[in-house]
Amino acid sequence: MNPEYQPLVEAARAALPLAQARYSGFRVAAALLCDDGTIVTGINVECSSYGGTICAERSALVRALSQGKSGFRAIAIVTETEGPTMPCGICRQLLHDYAPGATVIAAGSNATAIATLRELLPHAFTL
């Protein structure tokens, strides 16, 4: 893994205990690397009306956008699973809309996978 991404994975791991997974128990945290070097974290927040649940990736992106950030290089997603968990379809599309060139680093407890967003969403919807 590129050494530049290690602090990103560590920031996501540090945020993981804050995840609000009261229904599924599946905690997820994300850390977004902005073009200016800032790291913005997010967590999943579950809702009893499941459609209202917010994924960690979207949480981090919306938080960054709310802080005036506009360029993004990479996002790390951390879970407690052994293997990596890549973003869901909604997160892939939203990331494509705001960070189409981003690298995605998915880290489980025993394995990490790295892909570009274009690899994960090769035929993304665009306007």
Side-chain angles (χ1 to χ4, degrees), residues 32 57-58 60-61 72 74-75 77 87-104 117 120-121:
L32 186 62
E57 300 91 312
R58 286 184 285 148
L61 180 62
F72 309 104
I75 187 165
I77 300 122
C88 72
I90 293 171
C91 289
R92 291 177 192 203
Q93 183 64 53
L94 192 65
L95 286 167
H96 170 75
D97 289 349
Y98 291 92
T103 299
V104 177
L117 196 53
L120 295 178
L121 194 62

Side-chain angles (χ1 to χ4, degrees), residues 30-42:
L32 186 62
L33 179 61
C34 304
D35 281 347
D36 67 3
T38 304
I39 294 174
V40 178
T41 59

Side-chain angles (χ1 to χ4, degrees), residues 32-123:
L32 186 62
L33 179 61
C34 304
D35 281 347
D36 67 3
T38 304
I39 294 174
V40 178
T41 59
I43 57 168
N44 65 321
V45 179
E46 292 183 349
C47 179
S48 58
S49 174
Y50 293 126
T53 294
I54 309 235
C55 297
E57 300 91 312
R58 286 184 285 148
S59 174
L61 180 62
V62 168
R63 186 173 176 212
L65 291 169
S66 298
Q67 293 174 7
K69 306 298 181 188
S70 61
F72 309 104
R73 294 194 310 236
I75 187 165
I77 300 122
V78 173
T79 62
E80 297 167 316
T81 60
E82 286 192 30
T85 301
M86 288 293 181
C88 72
I90 293 171
C91 289
R92 291 177 192 203
Q93 183 64 53
L94 192 65
L95 286 167
H96 170 75
D97 289 349
Y98 291 92
T103 299
V104 177
I105 304 102
S109 58
N110 292 323
T112 300
I114 299 174
T116 66
L117 196 53
R118 287 187 179 106
E119 290 171 327
L120 295 178
L121 194 62
H123 302 288

